[in-house]
């Protein structure tokens, strides 16, 4: 069984609600390789800033798309 702390991914996709994305931010950040891309969805438009703040120390927003009340963020590692 491989220890998850040893895994580094260049692409991480998560489609879960904002609070879970915020709670899991430290784990997701730890799994990301240098230069990684995160695609995060399941975010209500009014919660975009909270999610961005959780990842901002390590990731920058590359794009944000909305459809109705939902949003998808693409973030890239600050390396």
């Amino acid at each position: 069984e491989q220890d998850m702390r040893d895994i580094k991914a260049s692409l991480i996709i998560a489609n879960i609600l904002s609070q879970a994305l915020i709670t899991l931010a430290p784990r997701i950040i730890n799994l990301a390789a240098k230069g990684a891309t995160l695609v995060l969805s399941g975010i209500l438009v009014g919660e975009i800033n909270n999610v961005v703040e959780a990842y901002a120390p390590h990731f920058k927003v590359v794009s944000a798309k909305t459809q109705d009340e939902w949003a998808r963020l693409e973030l890239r590692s600050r390396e």
Side-chain angles (χ1 to χ4, degrees), residues 1-68:
E1 180 177 315
Q2 186 174 10
D3 189 337
M4 291 293 289
R5 290 174 289 189
D6 296 334
I7 295 174
K8 296 294 181 190
S10 59
L11 174 63
I12 299 172
I13 301 171
N15 182 22
I16 53 179
L17 295 176
S18 299
Q19 190 55 52
L21 289 170
I22 292 166
T23 300
L24 292 171
R27 290 183 182 175
I28 292 172
I29 290 166
N30 189 54
L31 289 172
K34 290 184 179 182
T37 297
L38 301 183
V39 179
L40 307 177
S41 59
I43 304 164
L44 291 171
V45 170
E47 299 172 349
I48 291 172
N49 289 340
N50 295 334
V51 175
V52 169
E53 284 178 22
Y55 291 85
H58 302 280
F59 288 86
K60 60 185 175 189
V61 176
V62 174
S63 72
K65 304 285 184 186
T66 61
Q67 182 176 347
D68 301 320

